[in-house]
């Protein structure tokens, strides 16, 4: 899944972003370096079933 998010503000430990007209708090580690309010970023998420994670041990 891919989506676009607008960075609304950057706080001490998280960034507030807008995705599909809803606001979310994201950890700063997800953002590219030098991100600032007003930037548009593309996020990509995937699904990894627990069974797969168990096999990786």
């Amino acid at each position: 899944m891919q989506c676009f998010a607008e960075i609304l503000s950057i706080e001490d430990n998280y960034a507030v972003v807008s995705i599909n007209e809803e606001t979310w708090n994201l950890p700063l580690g997800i953002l590219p370096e030098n991100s600032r309010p007003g930037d548009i970023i593309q996020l990509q998420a995937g699904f990894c079933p627990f069974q797969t994670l168990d096999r990786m041990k």
Side-chain angles (χ1 to χ4, degrees):
M1 175 182 109
Q2 292 183 13
C3 66
F4 293 93
E6 178 183 2
I7 301 172
L8 301 177
S9 67
I10 297 177
E11 309 300 330
D12 290 332
N13 297 319
Y14 62 92
V16 179
V17 300
S18 174
I19 303 171
N20 295 330
E21 299 180 16
E22 292 188 36
T23 57
W24 301 84
N25 295 341
L26 294 181
L28 292 177
I30 292 176
L31 300 179
E33 288 186 36
N34 302 319
S35 293
R36 55 183 191 229
D39 287 353
I40 305 293
I41 58 172
Q42 181 177 358
L43 302 173
Q44 184 171 352
F47 175 74
C48 182
F50 291 111
Q51 189 177 38
T52 302
L53 291 174
D54 189 46
R55 285 190 214 140
M56 293 173 62
K57 292 181 181 178

